[in-house]
Amino acid sequence: MNIAQAKDEIKHTVQAYLKKDAQGNYRIPAIRQRPILLIGPPGIGKTQIMEQIATECGVGLVAYTITHHTRQSAVGLPMITQETYEGETYSVTEYTMSEIIASVYRCMREQGKKEGILFIDEINCVSETLTPAMLQFLQCKTFGNRAVPQGWIIVAAGNPPEYNKSVRDFDMVTLDRVRSIDVEADLDIWMNYAADRHIHGVILSYLQLRRKNFYRIETDVDGLRFVTARGWEDLGVLMQMYEELDIPVTEDIVREYLRLPEVAEDFFSYYELYRKYEDDYNIREILRGQAQPAVFERLMKAGFDERLSVVNLLLDALKEPLCGLFGTKRFTDTPESEAVFAALTNAFDFLEDAFGSEGSQEMLLFVTGLTMCKEAAVFLAMNPLPKYMKYNEELLGGGRRQKLLQELKKD
């Protein structure tokens, strides 16, 4: 399943495990509350969905990457205590409280949340000395002699063996006590997430054209080479800051994030074209309703890659003022909101003049981009724009959207 489906499954599990009866007892007893084992390739958002689930369910979250721990920090340090048996006193080894269990109690105290999620990442990549403790944790919900507090649900995550040489297989006894969910990278799901997080528009534009380059892991004579969702997001954040500071984005910088040379080279070439299109088409002039005839002439002769870039450049240019309005919560009756409304109107007029009014792929991408942007969605809900409403109904309703998207993927 994809990461969005996995999020729903885990969220539903949290709701089910925390359901209580009239006496305040959990309807599903702790012994039947299987830990969730989330298995998927690195960098697809396993940790991020846990933060979202905890927020949406109103519970606490304690997260650990277990490979950063030793047996002592996970289980607790040994200490000597005195016990009396049949009149004789003996020295006995016990353990201090696990750092991880202590963090759960600390979260309960500081956040005032008695229920929550204990998330352990990279659980199948632990050292040999820590493996027995991890098996005990999944089977018995304990670290050392301390149990996970009642009302705290265990979710563990790991990578399939093809992505990590340190992966250790779980035995049948352990697997029969967990609920295993396999997750795969999914570009369409990530694109929705990326639009919501305002990932750099050039990345969204590029991945719409080069879908196969979203997530790739390969091994050759030079070793492991890869491109992941995390790499795209982190690169996008850095690029936005570099551009704001007027620092050039170089191919070497791109290669630091996209560790597959052919993808890094291809993306950087596209990035340079994207910036050139911004100047060539004078995007700001289009949004002021002052597009020159030469722009229409060039766009009609352009290939789909170039047309798609122009659509995403328009969306990029609109997001900045939309985010500004969202930050002030002044969506109507201000000079700023009127300017945004005029810019949106001009963008629709331009796309109609360039590609016709019968619902082109370019218009579909533009309307979809606005719909996925929460700031644009709020603004358009408070300031209805007839052309947006028209194309939203025509292109995103029924099977029309799916048909256009399939055509787009073929291109």
PDB file of all heavy atoms in Angstrom, residues 106-132:
ATOM      1  N   ARG A 106       7.790  10.764  30.787  1.00  0.00           N
ATOM      2  CA  ARG A 106       8.090  12.194  30.731  1.00  0.00           C
ATOM      3  C   ARG A 106       7.104  12.911  29.817  1.00  0.00           C
ATOM      4  O   ARG A 106       6.632  14.010  30.118  1.00  0.00           O
ATOM      5  CB  ARG A 106       9.529  12.395  30.237  1.00  0.00           C
ATOM      6  CG  ARG A 106      10.050  13.819  30.425  1.00  0.00           C
ATOM      7  CD  ARG A 106      11.509  13.925  29.974  1.00  0.00           C
ATOM      8  NE  ARG A 106      12.341  12.982  30.703  1.00  0.00           N
ATOM      9  CZ  ARG A 106      13.034  11.995  30.143  1.00  0.00           C
ATOM     10  NH1 ARG A 106      12.972  11.802  28.833  1.00  0.00           N
ATOM     11  NH2 ARG A 106      13.784  11.206  30.872  1.00  0.00           N
ATOM     12  N   CYS A 107       6.772  12.285  28.700  1.00  0.00           N
ATOM     13  CA  CYS A 107       5.790  12.858  27.769  1.00  0.00           C
ATOM     14  C   CYS A 107       4.425  12.969  28.450  1.00  0.00           C
ATOM     15  O   CYS A 107       3.730  13.983  28.304  1.00  0.00           O
ATOM     16  CB  CYS A 107       5.697  11.996  26.520  1.00  0.00           C
ATOM     17  SG  CYS A 107       4.458  12.533  25.316  1.00  0.00           S
ATOM     18  N   MET A 108       4.051  11.947  29.191  1.00  0.00           N
ATOM     19  CA  MET A 108       2.769  11.960  29.893  1.00  0.00           C
ATOM     20  C   MET A 108       2.715  13.104  30.898  1.00  0.00           C
ATOM     21  O   MET A 108       1.693  13.791  31.038  1.00  0.00           O
ATOM     22  CB  MET A 108       2.553  10.615  30.591  1.00  0.00           C
ATOM     23  CG  MET A 108       2.390   9.445  29.629  1.00  0.00           C
ATOM     24  SD  MET A 108       2.508   7.823  30.442  1.00  0.00           S
ATOM     25  CE  MET A 108       1.020   7.828  31.439  1.00  0.00           C
ATOM     26  N   ARG A 109       3.844  13.333  31.576  1.00  0.00           N
ATOM     27  CA  ARG A 109       3.880  14.391  32.582  1.00  0.00           C
ATOM     28  C   ARG A 109       3.897  15.778  31.948  1.00  0.00           C
ATOM     29  O   ARG A 109       3.163  16.671  32.375  1.00  0.00           O
ATOM     30  CB  ARG A 109       5.126  14.205  33.453  1.00  0.00           C
ATOM     31  CG  ARG A 109       5.243  15.236  34.590  1.00  0.00           C
ATOM     32  CD  ARG A 109       6.565  15.096  35.310  1.00  0.00           C
ATOM     33  NE  ARG A 109       7.678  15.524  34.465  1.00  0.00           N
ATOM     34  CZ  ARG A 109       8.826  14.866  34.366  1.00  0.00           C
ATOM     35  NH1 ARG A 109       9.014  13.734  35.032  1.00  0.00           N
ATOM     36  NH2 ARG A 109       9.791  15.330  33.597  1.00  0.00           N
ATOM     37  N   GLU A 110       4.717  15.965  30.911  1.00  0.00           N
ATOM     38  CA  GLU A 110       4.901  17.299  30.352  1.00  0.00           C
ATOM     39  C   GLU A 110       3.763  17.718  29.430  1.00  0.00           C
ATOM     40  O   GLU A 110       3.404  18.883  29.378  1.00  0.00           O
ATOM     41  CB  GLU A 110       6.239  17.347  29.597  1.00  0.00           C
ATOM     42  CG  GLU A 110       7.446  17.196  30.525  1.00  0.00           C
ATOM     43  CD  GLU A 110       8.767  17.128  29.765  1.00  0.00           C
ATOM     44  OE1 GLU A 110       8.716  17.127  28.509  1.00  0.00           O
ATOM     45  OE2 GLU A 110       9.821  17.083  30.417  1.00  0.00           O
ATOM     46  N   GLN A 111       3.193  16.760  28.678  1.00  0.00           N
ATOM     47  CA  GLN A 111       2.126  17.091  27.742  1.00  0.00           C
ATOM     48  C   GLN A 111       0.738  16.819  28.308  1.00  0.00           C
ATOM     49  O   GLN A 111      -0.264  17.215  27.709  1.00  0.00           O
ATOM     50  CB  GLN A 111       2.310  16.309  26.435  1.00  0.00           C
ATOM     51  CG  GLN A 111       3.599  16.644  25.703  1.00  0.00           C
ATOM     52  CD  GLN A 111       3.705  15.928  24.365  1.00  0.00           C
ATOM     53  OE1 GLN A 111       2.718  15.435  23.813  1.00  0.00           O
ATOM     54  NE2 GLN A 111       4.905  15.856  23.823  1.00  0.00           N
ATOM     55  N   GLY A 112       0.685  16.124  29.440  1.00  0.00           N
ATOM     56  CA  GLY A 112      -0.603  15.815  30.047  1.00  0.00           C
ATOM     57  C   GLY A 112      -1.429  14.820  29.250  1.00  0.00           C
ATOM     58  O   GLY A 112      -2.650  14.752  29.404  1.00  0.00           O
ATOM     59  N   LYS A 113      -0.764  14.029  28.394  1.00  0.00           N
ATOM     60  CA  LYS A 113      -1.477  13.040  27.578  1.00  0.00           C
ATOM     61  C   LYS A 113      -1.156  11.643  28.092  1.00  0.00           C
ATOM     62  O   LYS A 113      -0.008  11.196  28.024  1.00  0.00           O
ATOM     63  CB  LYS A 113      -1.089  13.182  26.106  1.00  0.00           C
ATOM     64  CG  LYS A 113      -1.568  14.513  25.523  1.00  0.00           C
ATOM     65  CD  LYS A 113      -1.148  14.688  24.080  1.00  0.00           C
ATOM     66  CE  LYS A 113      -1.693  16.014  23.529  1.00  0.00           C
ATOM     67  NZ  LYS A 113      -1.257  16.281  22.147  1.00  0.00           N
ATOM     68  N   LYS A 114      -2.180  10.973  28.605  1.00  0.00           N
ATOM     69  CA  LYS A 114      -1.988   9.655  29.207  1.00  0.00           C
ATOM     70  C   LYS A 114      -1.922   8.545  28.169  1.00  0.00           C
ATOM     71  O   LYS A 114      -1.543   7.421  28.485  1.00  0.00           O
ATOM     72  CB  LYS A 114      -3.123   9.365  30.192  1.00  0.00           C
ATOM     73  CG  LYS A 114      -3.260  10.408  31.301  1.00  0.00           C
ATOM     74  CD  LYS A 114      -1.966  10.540  32.094  1.00  0.00           C
ATOM     75  CE  LYS A 114      -2.114  11.553  33.230  1.00  0.00           C
ATOM     76  NZ  LYS A 114      -0.827  11.779  33.934  1.00  0.00           N
ATOM     77  N   GLU A 115      -2.312   8.845  26.934  1.00  0.00           N
ATOM     78  CA  GLU A 115      -2.294   7.858  25.863  1.00  0.00           C
ATOM     79  C   GLU A 115      -1.428   8.385  24.709  1.00  0.00           C
ATOM     80  O   GLU A 115      -1.313   9.593  24.528  1.00  0.00           O
ATOM     81  CB  GLU A 115      -3.709   7.577  25.351  1.00  0.00           C
ATOM     82  CG  GLU A 115      -4.630   7.019  26.436  1.00  0.00           C
ATOM     83  CD  GLU A 115      -6.066   6.906  25.971  1.00  0.00           C
ATOM     84  OE1 GLU A 115      -6.493   7.758  25.162  1.00  0.00           O
ATOM     85  OE2 GLU A 115      -6.762   5.982  26.427  1.00  0.00           O
ATOM     86  N   GLY A 116      -0.852   7.466  23.975  1.00  0.00           N
ATOM     87  CA  GLY A 116      -0.004   7.931  22.893  1.00  0.00           C
ATOM     88  C   GLY A 116       0.557   6.799  22.054  1.00  0.00           C
ATOM     89  O   GLY A 116       0.150   5.643  22.159  1.00  0.00           O
ATOM     90  N   ILE A 117       1.522   7.169  21.230  1.00  0.00           N
ATOM     91  CA  ILE A 117       2.182   6.234  20.316  1.00  0.00           C
ATOM     92  C   ILE A 117       3.673   6.217  20.648  1.00  0.00           C
ATOM     93  O   ILE A 117       4.308   7.278  20.733  1.00  0.00           O
ATOM     94  CB  ILE A 117       1.997   6.667  18.851  1.00  0.00           C
ATOM     95  CG1 ILE A 117       0.510   6.677  18.484  1.00  0.00           C
ATOM     96  CG2 ILE A 117       2.772   5.740  17.905  1.00  0.00           C
ATOM     97  CD1 ILE A 117       0.232   7.357  17.151  1.00  0.00           C
ATOM     98  N   LEU A 118       4.211   5.033  20.852  1.00  0.00           N
ATOM     99  CA  LEU A 118       5.654   4.857  20.996  1.00  0.00           C
ATOM    100  C   LEU A 118       6.165   4.343  19.660  1.00  0.00           C
ATOM    101  O   LEU A 118       5.868   3.217  19.259  1.00  0.00           O
ATOM    102  CB  LEU A 118       5.972   3.868  22.119  1.00  0.00           C
ATOM    103  CG  LEU A 118       7.451   3.484  22.277  1.00  0.00           C
ATOM    104  CD1 LEU A 118       8.327   4.721  22.459  1.00  0.00           C
ATOM    105  CD2 LEU A 118       7.635   2.519  23.439  1.00  0.00           C
ATOM    106  N   PHE A 119       6.912   5.197  18.957  1.00  0.00           N
ATOM    107  CA  PHE A 119       7.375   4.871  17.606  1.00  0.00           C
ATOM    108  C   PHE A 119       8.861   4.558  17.630  1.00  0.00           C
ATOM    109  O   PHE A 119       9.678   5.384  18.055  1.00  0.00           O
ATOM    110  CB  PHE A 119       7.096   6.043  16.666  1.00  0.00           C
ATOM    111  CG  PHE A 119       7.595   5.823  15.265  1.00  0.00           C
ATOM    112  CD1 PHE A 119       7.089   4.796  14.485  1.00  0.00           C
ATOM    113  CD2 PHE A 119       8.577   6.641  14.718  1.00  0.00           C
ATOM    114  CE1 PHE A 119       7.544   4.581  13.189  1.00  0.00           C
ATOM    115  CE2 PHE A 119       9.039   6.446  13.425  1.00  0.00           C
ATOM    116  CZ  PHE A 119       8.518   5.410  12.662  1.00  0.00           C
ATOM    117  N   ILE A 120       9.219   3.359  17.186  1.00  0.00           N
ATOM    118  CA  ILE A 120      10.605   2.915  17.145  1.00  0.00           C
ATOM    119  C   ILE A 120      10.997   2.687  15.686  1.00  0.00           C
ATOM    120  O   ILE A 120      10.463   1.797  15.028  1.00  0.00           O
ATOM    121  CB  ILE A 120      10.816   1.616  17.953  1.00  0.00           C
ATOM    122  CG1 ILE A 120      10.293   1.770  19.383  1.00  0.00           C
ATOM    123  CG2 ILE A 120      12.281   1.214  17.933  1.00  0.00           C
ATOM    124  CD1 ILE A 120      11.051   2.780  20.213  1.00  0.00           C
ATOM    125  N   ASP A 121      11.922   3.500  15.197  1.00  0.00           N
ATOM    126  CA  ASP A 121      12.335   3.397  13.795  1.00  0.00           C
ATOM    127  C   ASP A 121      13.577   2.515  13.665  1.00  0.00           C
ATOM    128  O   ASP A 121      14.352   2.355  14.614  1.00  0.00           O
ATOM    129  CB  ASP A 121      12.631   4.793  13.248  1.00  0.00           C
ATOM    130  CG  ASP A 121      12.613   4.835  11.724  1.00  0.00           C
ATOM    131  OD1 ASP A 121      12.234   3.817  11.103  1.00  0.00           O
ATOM    132  OD2 ASP A 121      12.959   5.887  11.155  1.00  0.00           O
ATOM    133  N   GLU A 122      13.744   1.949  12.461  1.00  0.00           N
ATOM    134  CA  GLU A 122      14.886   1.092  12.122  1.00  0.00           C
ATOM    135  C   GLU A 122      14.999  -0.102  13.067  1.00  0.00           C
ATOM    136  O   GLU A 122      16.099  -0.523  13.433  1.00  0.00           O
ATOM    137  CB  GLU A 122      16.187   1.911  12.102  1.00  0.00           C
ATOM    138  CG  GLU A 122      16.178   3.025  11.068  1.00  0.00           C
ATOM    139  CD  GLU A 122      17.491   3.774  10.970  1.00  0.00           C
ATOM    140  OE1 GLU A 122      18.433   3.400  11.694  1.00  0.00           O
ATOM    141  OE2 GLU A 122      17.564   4.729  10.190  1.00  0.00           O
ATOM    142  N   ILE A 123      13.876  -0.661  13.437  1.00  0.00           N
ATOM    143  CA  ILE A 123      13.863  -1.704  14.450  1.00  0.00           C
ATOM    144  C   ILE A 123      14.521  -3.001  13.983  1.00  0.00           C
ATOM    145  O   ILE A 123      14.991  -3.788  14.805  1.00  0.00           O
ATOM    146  CB  ILE A 123      12.418  -1.975  14.929  1.00  0.00           C
ATOM    147  CG1 ILE A 123      12.440  -2.773  16.228  1.00  0.00           C
ATOM    148  CG2 ILE A 123      11.595  -2.662  13.831  1.00  0.00           C
ATOM    149  CD1 ILE A 123      11.130  -2.825  16.954  1.00  0.00           C
ATOM    150  N   ASN A 124      14.534  -3.238  12.683  1.00  0.00           N
ATOM    151  CA  ASN A 124      15.151  -4.476  12.195  1.00  0.00           C
ATOM    152  C   ASN A 124      16.599  -4.279  11.761  1.00  0.00           C
ATOM    153  O   ASN A 124      17.164  -5.102  11.043  1.00  0.00           O
ATOM    154  CB  ASN A 124      14.330  -5.091  11.066  1.00  0.00           C
ATOM    155  CG  ASN A 124      14.173  -4.150   9.879  1.00  0.00           C
ATOM    156  OD1 ASN A 124      14.483  -2.962   9.964  1.00  0.00           O
ATOM    157  ND2 ASN A 124      13.684  -4.677   8.767  1.00  0.00           N
ATOM    158  N   CYS A 125      17.206  -3.163  12.208  1.00  0.00           N
ATOM    159  CA  CYS A 125      18.609  -2.887  11.870  1.00  0.00           C
ATOM    160  C   CYS A 125      19.473  -2.746  13.119  1.00  0.00           C
ATOM    161  O   CYS A 125      20.540  -2.138  13.088  1.00  0.00           O
ATOM    162  CB  CYS A 125      18.717  -1.609  11.042  1.00  0.00           C
ATOM    163  SG  CYS A 125      17.837  -1.660   9.470  1.00  0.00           S
ATOM    164  N   VAL A 126      19.006  -3.278  14.241  1.00  0.00           N
ATOM    165  CA  VAL A 126      19.732  -3.120  15.500  1.00  0.00           C
ATOM    166  C   VAL A 126      20.966  -4.017  15.528  1.00  0.00           C
ATOM    167  O   VAL A 126      21.083  -4.980  14.760  1.00  0.00           O
ATOM    168  CB  VAL A 126      18.820  -3.434  16.703  1.00  0.00           C
ATOM    169  CG1 VAL A 126      17.678  -2.450  16.768  1.00  0.00           C
ATOM    170  CG2 VAL A 126      18.319  -4.864  16.634  1.00  0.00           C
ATOM    171  N   SER A 127      21.866  -3.717  16.439  1.00  0.00           N
ATOM    172  CA  SER A 127      23.069  -4.531  16.607  1.00  0.00           C
ATOM    173  C   SER A 127      22.700  -5.890  17.190  1.00  0.00           C
ATOM    174  O   SER A 127      21.613  -6.091  17.740  1.00  0.00           O
ATOM    175  CB  SER A 127      24.050  -3.833  17.544  1.00  0.00           C
ATOM    176  OG  SER A 127      23.494  -3.717  18.843  1.00  0.00           O
ATOM    177  N   GLU A 128      23.646  -6.805  17.092  1.00  0.00           N
ATOM    178  CA  GLU A 128      23.388  -8.168  17.585  1.00  0.00           C
ATOM    179  C   GLU A 128      23.105  -8.181  19.075  1.00  0.00           C
ATOM    180  O   GLU A 128      22.273  -8.956  19.547  1.00  0.00           O
ATOM    181  CB  GLU A 128      24.603  -9.048  17.266  1.00  0.00           C
ATOM    182  CG  GLU A 128      24.382 -10.519  17.559  1.00  0.00           C
ATOM    183  CD  GLU A 128      25.527 -11.386  17.100  1.00  0.00           C
ATOM    184  OE1 GLU A 128      26.387 -10.873  16.333  1.00  0.00           O
ATOM    185  OE2 GLU A 128      25.579 -12.564  17.477  1.00  0.00           O
ATOM    186  N   THR A 129      23.760  -7.294  19.828  1.00  0.00           N
ATOM    187  CA  THR A 129      23.550  -7.269  21.279  1.00  0.00           C
ATOM    188  C   THR A 129      22.165  -6.753  21.655  1.00  0.00           C
ATOM    189  O   THR A 129      21.664  -7.049  22.735  1.00  0.00           O
ATOM    190  CB  THR A 129      24.614  -6.389  21.958  1.00  0.00           C
ATOM    191  OG1 THR A 129      24.549  -5.067  21.414  1.00  0.00           O
ATOM    192  CG2 THR A 129      25.996  -6.958  21.734  1.00  0.00           C
ATOM    193  N   LEU A 130      21.569  -5.960  20.768  1.00  0.00           N
ATOM    194  CA  LEU A 130      20.261  -5.369  21.068  1.00  0.00           C
ATOM    195  C   LEU A 130      19.106  -6.179  20.502  1.00  0.00           C
ATOM    196  O   LEU A 130      17.945  -5.970  20.872  1.00  0.00           O
ATOM    197  CB  LEU A 130      20.217  -3.934  20.526  1.00  0.00           C
ATOM    198  CG  LEU A 130      19.133  -2.989  21.052  1.00  0.00           C
ATOM    199  CD1 LEU A 130      19.132  -2.954  22.564  1.00  0.00           C
ATOM    200  CD2 LEU A 130      19.350  -1.593  20.486  1.00  0.00           C
ATOM    201  N   THR A 131      19.396  -7.122  19.617  1.00  0.00           N
ATOM    202  CA  THR A 131      18.337  -7.903  18.965  1.00  0.00           C
ATOM    203  C   THR A 131      17.415  -8.606  19.959  1.00  0.00           C
ATOM    204  O   THR A 131      16.179  -8.522  19.824  1.00  0.00           O
ATOM    205  CB  THR A 131      18.950  -8.930  17.993  1.00  0.00           C
ATOM    206  OG1 THR A 131      19.657  -8.232  16.965  1.00  0.00           O
ATOM    207  CG2 THR A 131      17.863  -9.770  17.348  1.00  0.00           C
ATOM    208  N   PRO A 132      17.930  -9.321  20.985  1.00  0.00           N
ATOM    209  CA  PRO A 132      17.013  -9.982  21.939  1.00  0.00           C
ATOM    210  C   PRO A 132      16.071  -8.995  22.627  1.00  0.00           C
ATOM    211  O   PRO A 132      14.896  -9.311  22.851  1.00  0.00           O
ATOM    212  CB  PRO A 132      17.964 -10.634  22.944  1.00  0.00           C
ATOM    213  CG  PRO A 132      19.237 -10.813  22.195  1.00  0.00           C
ATOM    214  CD  PRO A 132      19.338  -9.628  21.289  1.00  0.00           C
TER     215      PRO A 132
END
